[in-house]
Amino acid sequence: MRSQRGFGFVQLIGLVLLIGLGVIGYKQYDKWSTQRRLEHAQAIVEQDRKRIGVVSAKWDDARRLAGSTSRIALVQPVERLQAIKREFEEVRVSSPCMKNARDLEAEAMGQVIEGLMAFMRQEKYDSEEALTEATKLMRKATSAYLACEPK
């Protein structure tokens, strides 16, 4: 009987199989890991949306009320809008994308408040300009929110 020295055919086949299984395992792990990261990112965006949505709903209600209030009685609705805007700015978001969208919406809120205050001072041009700018900013914020999908 001959003793085999060195690297034989069976060992070579075994090594190739071992490397092949390692590559397949790594690819499966990478696919699973990528899927988990995507699911985690989606969960973060959804949590951010919920937190923002709660305060945005308050804003929408207060803005509608202010929009149907006479000029002379706007002080309290504007104070309420200012308080909601401050609350909105303090909403913590984890996603950079959602932070950008939230900041745009907060800027739009500020323009609405400025427009209503100009309206209270009977400055028609300033009021219209501020409210037009608020509409543009809100459209940008909406687009930013919609674009906030993890990839």
Side-chain angles (χ1 to χ4, degrees):
M1 195 178 241
R2 272 178 47 190
S3 73
Q4 187 175 4
R5 285 185 252 159
F7 210 66
F9 181 71
V10 173
Q11 287 91 359
L12 183 61
I13 295 294
L15 182 62
V16 169
L17 282 172
L18 186 62
I19 291 172
L21 289 174
V23 168
I24 291 170
Y26 176 76
K27 285 184 178 183
Q28 287 298 326
Y29 170 76
D30 188 46
K31 184 178 179 181
W32 174 82
S33 177
T34 301
Q35 182 64 29
R36 294 284 295 159
R37 280 193 302 268
L38 181 61
E39 288 170 0
H40 180 69
Q42 287 171 335
I44 287 173
V45 168
E46 282 308 310
Q47 288 172 353
D48 290 346
R49 280 194 174 126
K50 286 178 185 175
R51 284 191 290 263
I52 287 171
V54 168
V55 183
S56 287
K58 288 181 191 178
W59 170 266
D60 288 340
D61 292 344
R63 184 186 45 80
R64 272 191 230 108
L65 179 64
S68 63
T69 302
S70 67
R71 182 189 320 253
I72 201 160
L74 266 176
V75 173
Q76 286 181 339
V78 168
E79 285 177 348
R80 175 83 176 124
L81 288 171
Q82 289 170 326
I84 294 170
K85 179 182 179 274
R86 284 189 293 275
E87 179 184 351
F88 185 80
E89 290 171 329
E90 291 175 8
V91 171
R92 295 188 67 192
V93 290
S94 301
S95 166
C97 175
M98 292 297 282
K99 182 182 181 320
N100 178 53
R102 183 209 54 201
D103 292 347
L104 284 168
E105 186 171 353
E107 193 175 343
M109 289 175 174
Q111 287 296 315
V112 168
I113 292 167
E114 287 301 316
L116 290 172
M117 289 173 60
F119 177 72
M120 288 167 56
R121 293 186 304 266
Q122 298 184 2
E123 297 170 352
K124 184 179 179 188
Y125 177 76
D126 292 340
S127 173
E128 289 174 2
E129 186 176 312
L131 293 173
T132 300
E133 182 63 22
T135 301
K136 289 177 188 176
L137 286 167
M138 193 55 79
R139 283 188 187 129
K140 284 182 184 179
T142 300
S143 294
Y145 283 128
L146 292 174
C148 255
E149 287 301 321
K151 300 191 175 41

mmCIF file of all heavy atoms in Angstrom, residues 59 62-63 65-67 69-71 73-86 109-110 112-120:
data_model
loop_
_atom_site.group_PDB
_atom_site.id
_atom_site.type_symbol
_atom_site.label_atom_id
_atom_site.label_comp_id
_atom_site.label_asym_id
_atom_site.label_seq_id
_atom_site.Cartn_x
_atom_site.Cartn_y
_atom_site.Cartn_z
ATOM 1 N N TRP A 59 -52.194 70.584 13.709
ATOM 2 C CA TRP A 59 -51.940 71.784 12.922
ATOM 3 C C TRP A 59 -53.066 72.007 11.916
ATOM 4 O O TRP A 59 -53.583 73.117 11.789
ATOM 5 C CB TRP A 59 -50.598 71.691 12.204
ATOM 6 C CG TRP A 59 -50.407 72.782 11.204
ATOM 7 C CD1 TRP A 59 -50.686 72.739 9.872
ATOM 8 C CD2 TRP A 59 -49.948 74.115 11.469
ATOM 9 N NE1 TRP A 59 -50.416 73.947 9.282
ATOM 10 C CE2 TRP A 59 -49.966 74.811 10.241
ATOM 11 C CE3 TRP A 59 -49.533 74.785 12.609
ATOM 12 C CZ2 TRP A 59 -49.566 76.139 10.128
ATOM 13 C CZ3 TRP A 59 -49.129 76.102 12.493
ATOM 14 C CH2 TRP A 59 -49.153 76.769 11.272
ATOM 15 N N ALA A 62 -56.213 73.281 13.606
ATOM 16 C CA ALA A 62 -56.069 74.669 14.075
ATOM 17 C C ALA A 62 -56.000 75.645 12.897
ATOM 18 O O ALA A 62 -56.547 76.750 12.968
ATOM 19 C CB ALA A 62 -54.825 74.798 14.946
ATOM 20 N N ARG A 63 -55.357 75.224 11.802
ATOM 21 C CA ARG A 63 -55.262 76.089 10.616
ATOM 22 C C ARG A 63 -56.641 76.296 9.989
ATOM 23 O O ARG A 63 -56.993 77.407 9.587
ATOM 24 C CB ARG A 63 -54.293 75.481 9.603
ATOM 25 C CG ARG A 63 -54.047 76.356 8.391
ATOM 26 C CD ARG A 63 -53.204 75.673 7.337
ATOM 27 N NE ARG A 63 -53.590 74.306 7.047
ATOM 28 C CZ ARG A 63 -54.602 73.945 6.268
ATOM 29 N NH1 ARG A 63 -55.367 74.857 5.710
ATOM 30 N NH2 ARG A 63 -54.879 72.675 6.055
ATOM 31 N N LEU A 65 -59.486 76.185 11.541
ATOM 32 C CA LEU A 65 -60.215 77.064 12.449
ATOM 33 C C LEU A 65 -59.775 78.515 12.249
ATOM 34 O O LEU A 65 -60.615 79.424 12.155
ATOM 35 C CB LEU A 65 -59.985 76.642 13.903
ATOM 36 C CG LEU A 65 -60.673 77.498 14.961
ATOM 37 C CD1 LEU A 65 -62.186 77.399 14.822
ATOM 38 C CD2 LEU A 65 -60.235 77.070 16.351
ATOM 39 N N ALA A 66 -58.465 78.732 12.144
ATOM 40 C CA ALA A 66 -57.953 80.092 11.938
ATOM 41 C C ALA A 66 -58.444 80.651 10.604
ATOM 42 O O ALA A 66 -58.764 81.838 10.498
ATOM 43 C CB ALA A 66 -56.432 80.106 11.990
ATOM 44 N N GLY A 67 -58.524 79.797 9.596
ATOM 45 C CA GLY A 67 -58.980 80.240 8.284
ATOM 46 C C GLY A 67 -60.435 80.656 8.254
ATOM 47 O O GLY A 67 -60.854 81.406 7.361
ATOM 48 N N THR A 69 -61.868 82.182 10.915
ATOM 49 C CA THR A 69 -62.023 83.146 12.005
ATOM 50 C C THR A 69 -61.893 84.565 11.451
ATOM 51 O O THR A 69 -61.078 84.817 10.562
ATOM 52 C CB THR A 69 -60.938 82.913 13.078
ATOM 53 O OG1 THR A 69 -61.046 81.569 13.545
ATOM 54 C CG2 THR A 69 -61.086 83.849 14.249
ATOM 55 N N SER A 70 -62.679 85.476 11.987
ATOM 56 C CA SER A 70 -62.604 86.870 11.532
ATOM 57 C C SER A 70 -61.254 87.478 11.939
ATOM 58 O O SER A 70 -60.603 87.021 12.871
ATOM 59 C CB SER A 70 -63.753 87.695 12.126
ATOM 60 O OG SER A 70 -63.593 87.802 13.528
ATOM 61 N N ARG A 71 -60.861 88.500 11.218
ATOM 62 C CA ARG A 71 -59.580 89.158 11.444
ATOM 63 C C ARG A 71 -59.404 89.584 12.898
ATOM 64 O O ARG A 71 -58.361 89.376 13.493
ATOM 65 C CB ARG A 71 -59.466 90.376 10.513
ATOM 66 C CG ARG A 71 -58.169 91.112 10.620
ATOM 67 C CD ARG A 71 -58.174 92.426 9.842
ATOM 68 N NE ARG A 71 -58.835 92.359 8.564
ATOM 69 C CZ ARG A 71 -58.223 92.372 7.389
ATOM 70 N NH1 ARG A 71 -56.922 92.460 7.330
ATOM 71 N NH2 ARG A 71 -58.918 92.332 6.280
ATOM 72 N N ALA A 73 -60.628 88.407 15.571
ATOM 73 C CA ALA A 73 -60.593 87.313 16.558
ATOM 74 C C ALA A 73 -59.460 86.317 16.307
ATOM 75 O O ALA A 73 -59.440 85.234 16.892
ATOM 76 C CB ALA A 73 -61.933 86.599 16.547
ATOM 77 N N LEU A 74 -58.495 86.672 15.460
ATOM 78 C CA LEU A 74 -57.441 85.730 15.077
ATOM 79 C C LEU A 74 -56.339 85.556 16.121
ATOM 80 O O LEU A 74 -55.526 84.649 15.986
ATOM 81 C CB LEU A 74 -56.786 86.180 13.763
ATOM 82 C CG LEU A 74 -57.364 85.574 12.500
ATOM 83 C CD1 LEU A 74 -56.690 86.174 11.275
ATOM 84 C CD2 LEU A 74 -57.239 84.081 12.487
ATOM 85 N N VAL A 75 -56.291 86.381 17.142
ATOM 86 C CA VAL A 75 -55.183 86.323 18.104
ATOM 87 C C VAL A 75 -55.052 84.931 18.718
ATOM 88 O O VAL A 75 -53.971 84.342 18.712
ATOM 89 C CB VAL A 75 -55.340 87.410 19.192
ATOM 90 C CG1 VAL A 75 -54.296 87.232 20.278
ATOM 91 C CG2 VAL A 75 -55.230 88.790 18.570
ATOM 92 N N GLN A 76 -56.129 84.403 19.258
ATOM 93 C CA GLN A 76 -56.043 83.094 19.907
ATOM 94 C C GLN A 76 -55.731 81.953 18.933
ATOM 95 O O GLN A 76 -54.884 81.119 19.227
ATOM 96 C CB GLN A 76 -57.313 82.807 20.700
ATOM 97 C CG GLN A 76 -57.373 83.621 21.980
ATOM 98 C CD GLN A 76 -58.625 83.306 22.786
ATOM 99 O OE1 GLN A 76 -59.605 82.804 22.256
ATOM 100 N NE2 GLN A 76 -58.570 83.614 24.079
ATOM 101 N N PRO A 77 -56.370 81.904 17.764
ATOM 102 C CA PRO A 77 -55.999 80.844 16.824
ATOM 103 C C PRO A 77 -54.527 80.921 16.381
ATOM 104 O O PRO A 77 -53.882 79.889 16.232
ATOM 105 C CB PRO A 77 -56.943 81.061 15.635
ATOM 106 C CG PRO A 77 -58.154 81.697 16.234
ATOM 107 C CD PRO A 77 -57.604 82.588 17.308
ATOM 108 N N VAL A 78 -54.003 82.133 16.212
ATOM 109 C CA VAL A 78 -52.593 82.271 15.825
ATOM 110 C C VAL A 78 -51.686 81.820 16.970
ATOM 111 O O VAL A 78 -50.674 81.147 16.739
ATOM 112 C CB VAL A 78 -52.272 83.718 15.369
ATOM 113 C CG1 VAL A 78 -50.772 83.935 15.245
ATOM 114 C CG2 VAL A 78 -52.958 84.004 14.036
ATOM 115 N N GLU A 79 -52.056 82.149 18.199
ATOM 116 C CA GLU A 79 -51.278 81.666 19.352
ATOM 117 C C GLU A 79 -51.262 80.141 19.378
ATOM 118 O O GLU A 79 -50.236 79.528 19.655
ATOM 119 C CB GLU A 79 -51.853 82.209 20.658
ATOM 120 C CG GLU A 79 -51.535 83.659 20.922
ATOM 121 C CD GLU A 79 -52.196 84.184 22.200
ATOM 122 O OE1 GLU A 79 -53.088 83.492 22.756
ATOM 123 O OE2 GLU A 79 -51.815 85.277 22.630
ATOM 124 N N ARG A 80 -52.396 79.548 19.090
ATOM 125 C CA ARG A 80 -52.492 78.078 19.062
ATOM 126 C C ARG A 80 -51.613 77.504 17.956
ATOM 127 O O ARG A 80 -50.903 76.513 18.160
ATOM 128 C CB ARG A 80 -53.954 77.670 18.856
ATOM 129 C CG ARG A 80 -54.179 76.204 18.688
ATOM 130 C CD ARG A 80 -54.264 75.489 20.024
ATOM 131 N NE ARG A 80 -54.568 74.089 19.782
ATOM 132 C CZ ARG A 80 -53.829 73.088 20.209
ATOM 133 N NH1 ARG A 80 -52.775 73.317 20.941
ATOM 134 N NH2 ARG A 80 -54.152 71.849 19.935
ATOM 135 N N LEU A 81 -51.619 78.135 16.787
ATOM 136 C CA LEU A 81 -50.760 77.687 15.686
ATOM 137 C C LEU A 81 -49.280 77.792 16.066
ATOM 138 O O LEU A 81 -48.481 76.905 15.742
ATOM 139 C CB LEU A 81 -51.044 78.493 14.415
ATOM 140 C CG LEU A 81 -52.375 78.194 13.726
ATOM 141 C CD1 LEU A 81 -52.645 79.210 12.619
ATOM 142 C CD2 LEU A 81 -52.404 76.784 13.181
ATOM 143 N N GLN A 82 -48.918 78.879 16.750
ATOM 144 C CA GLN A 82 -47.530 79.036 17.172
ATOM 145 C C GLN A 82 -47.125 77.925 18.147
ATOM 146 O O GLN A 82 -46.024 77.378 18.052
ATOM 147 C CB GLN A 82 -47.313 80.409 17.819
ATOM 148 C CG GLN A 82 -47.371 81.548 16.824
ATOM 149 C CD GLN A 82 -47.397 82.918 17.491
ATOM 150 O OE1 GLN A 82 -47.966 83.089 18.568
ATOM 151 N NE2 GLN A 82 -46.793 83.899 16.830
ATOM 152 N N ALA A 83 -48.003 77.593 19.064
ATOM 153 C CA ALA A 83 -47.717 76.529 20.033
ATOM 154 C C ALA A 83 -47.564 75.178 19.321
ATOM 155 O O ALA A 83 -46.657 74.392 19.640
ATOM 156 C CB ALA A 83 -48.812 76.459 21.081
ATOM 157 N N ILE A 84 -48.424 74.923 18.360
ATOM 158 C CA ILE A 84 -48.348 73.658 17.618
ATOM 159 C C ILE A 84 -47.069 73.614 16.791
ATOM 160 O O ILE A 84 -46.406 72.565 16.708
ATOM 161 C CB ILE A 84 -49.599 73.457 16.735
ATOM 162 C CG1 ILE A 84 -50.836 73.276 17.619
ATOM 163 C CG2 ILE A 84 -49.431 72.256 15.816
ATOM 164 C CD1 ILE A 84 -52.149 73.312 16.859
ATOM 165 N N LYS A 85 -46.692 74.737 16.201
ATOM 166 C CA LYS A 85 -45.443 74.774 15.424
ATOM 167 C C LYS A 85 -44.247 74.454 16.319
ATOM 168 O O LYS A 85 -43.363 73.674 15.931
ATOM 169 C CB LYS A 85 -45.255 76.142 14.769
ATOM 170 C CG LYS A 85 -43.957 76.247 13.967
ATOM 171 C CD LYS A 85 -43.776 77.628 13.371
ATOM 172 C CE LYS A 85 -42.486 77.734 12.607
ATOM 173 N NZ LYS A 85 -41.344 78.088 13.441
ATOM 174 N N ARG A 86 -44.208 75.025 17.515
ATOM 175 C CA ARG A 86 -43.108 74.719 18.445
ATOM 176 C C ARG A 86 -43.114 73.227 18.804
ATOM 177 O O ARG A 86 -42.056 72.586 18.841
ATOM 178 C CB ARG A 86 -43.209 75.577 19.700
ATOM 179 C CG ARG A 86 -42.757 77.016 19.481
ATOM 180 C CD ARG A 86 -42.655 77.785 20.790
ATOM 181 N NE ARG A 86 -43.950 77.988 21.433
ATOM 182 C CZ ARG A 86 -44.776 78.984 21.157
ATOM 183 N NH1 ARG A 86 -44.458 79.888 20.250
ATOM 184 N NH2 ARG A 86 -45.932 79.089 21.792
ATOM 185 N N MET A 109 -45.206 76.126 8.088
ATOM 186 C CA MET A 109 -46.041 76.549 9.220
ATOM 187 C C MET A 109 -45.702 77.982 9.627
ATOM 188 O O MET A 109 -46.603 78.789 9.899
ATOM 189 C CB MET A 109 -45.836 75.609 10.415
ATOM 190 C CG MET A 109 -46.417 74.246 10.239
ATOM 191 S SD MET A 109 -45.958 73.210 11.667
ATOM 192 C CE MET A 109 -46.904 71.748 11.330
ATOM 193 N N GLY A 110 -44.416 78.281 9.660
ATOM 194 C CA GLY A 110 -43.992 79.638 10.008
ATOM 195 C C GLY A 110 -44.518 80.668 9.026
ATOM 196 O O GLY A 110 -44.938 81.768 9.420
ATOM 197 N N VAL A 112 -47.274 80.373 7.245
ATOM 198 C CA VAL A 112 -48.721 80.510 7.484
ATOM 199 C C VAL A 112 -48.956 81.486 8.633
ATOM 200 O O VAL A 112 -49.805 82.387 8.543
ATOM 201 C CB VAL A 112 -49.377 79.140 7.791
ATOM 202 C CG1 VAL A 112 -50.791 79.321 8.321
ATOM 203 C CG2 VAL A 112 -49.383 78.262 6.550
ATOM 204 N N ILE A 113 -48.194 81.321 9.696
ATOM 205 C CA ILE A 113 -48.338 82.212 10.855
ATOM 206 C C ILE A 113 -48.016 83.647 10.466
ATOM 207 O O ILE A 113 -48.761 84.574 10.815
ATOM 208 C CB ILE A 113 -47.452 81.723 12.028
ATOM 209 C CG1 ILE A 113 -48.003 80.397 12.565
ATOM 210 C CG2 ILE A 113 -47.363 82.772 13.127
ATOM 211 C CD1 ILE A 113 -47.061 79.659 13.501
ATOM 212 N N GLU A 114 -46.944 83.838 9.713
ATOM 213 C CA GLU A 114 -46.587 85.191 9.250
ATOM 214 C C GLU A 114 -47.695 85.778 8.379
ATOM 215 O O GLU A 114 -48.024 86.959 8.488
ATOM 216 C CB GLU A 114 -45.259 85.179 8.482
ATOM 217 C CG GLU A 114 -44.044 84.988 9.352
ATOM 218 C CD GLU A 114 -43.905 86.067 10.419
ATOM 219 O OE1 GLU A 114 -44.090 87.264 10.106
ATOM 220 O OE2 GLU A 114 -43.636 85.700 11.574
ATOM 221 N N GLY A 115 -48.257 84.941 7.506
ATOM 222 C CA GLY A 115 -49.349 85.404 6.644
ATOM 223 C C GLY A 115 -50.573 85.820 7.429
ATOM 224 O O GLY A 115 -51.200 86.851 7.134
ATOM 225 N N LEU A 116 -50.920 85.047 8.440
ATOM 226 C CA LEU A 116 -52.081 85.395 9.267
ATOM 227 C C LEU A 116 -51.818 86.662 10.084
ATOM 228 O O LEU A 116 -52.721 87.492 10.243
ATOM 229 C CB LEU A 116 -52.447 84.231 10.186
ATOM 230 C CG LEU A 116 -53.038 83.006 9.482
ATOM 231 C CD1 LEU A 116 -53.184 81.845 10.456
ATOM 232 C CD2 LEU A 116 -54.368 83.343 8.831
ATOM 233 N N MET A 117 -50.604 86.816 10.562
ATOM 234 C CA MET A 117 -50.278 88.024 11.326
ATOM 235 C C MET A 117 -50.304 89.268 10.428
ATOM 236 O O MET A 117 -50.780 90.334 10.833
ATOM 237 C CB MET A 117 -48.930 87.864 12.028
ATOM 238 C CG MET A 117 -49.022 86.856 13.178
ATOM 239 S SD MET A 117 -47.454 86.420 13.953
ATOM 240 C CE MET A 117 -46.878 87.978 14.552
ATOM 241 N N ALA A 118 -49.822 89.114 9.191
ATOM 242 C CA ALA A 118 -49.891 90.229 8.241
ATOM 243 C C ALA A 118 -51.359 90.547 7.925
ATOM 244 O O ALA A 118 -51.727 91.718 7.802
ATOM 245 C CB ALA A 118 -49.126 89.886 6.959
ATOM 246 N N PHE A 119 -52.188 89.518 7.806
ATOM 247 C CA PHE A 119 -53.609 89.711 7.576
ATOM 248 C C PHE A 119 -54.237 90.472 8.746
ATOM 249 O O PHE A 119 -55.063 91.372 8.551
ATOM 250 C CB PHE A 119 -54.295 88.346 7.393
ATOM 251 C CG PHE A 119 -55.776 88.428 7.208
ATOM 252 C CD1 PHE A 119 -56.324 88.903 6.024
ATOM 253 C CD2 PHE A 119 -56.636 88.009 8.219
ATOM 254 C CE1 PHE A 119 -57.706 88.965 5.854
ATOM 255 C CE2 PHE A 119 -58.008 88.064 8.060
ATOM 256 C CZ PHE A 119 -58.551 88.547 6.873
ATOM 257 N N MET A 120 -53.833 90.120 9.982
ATOM 258 C CA MET A 120 -54.349 90.817 11.171
ATOM 259 C C MET A 120 -53.955 92.303 11.151
ATOM 260 O O MET A 120 -54.717 93.155 11.608
ATOM 261 C CB MET A 120 -53.811 90.148 12.452
ATOM 262 C CG MET A 120 -54.439 88.803 12.729
ATOM 263 S SD MET A 120 -53.578 87.826 13.998
ATOM 264 C CE MET A 120 -53.565 88.933 15.387
#
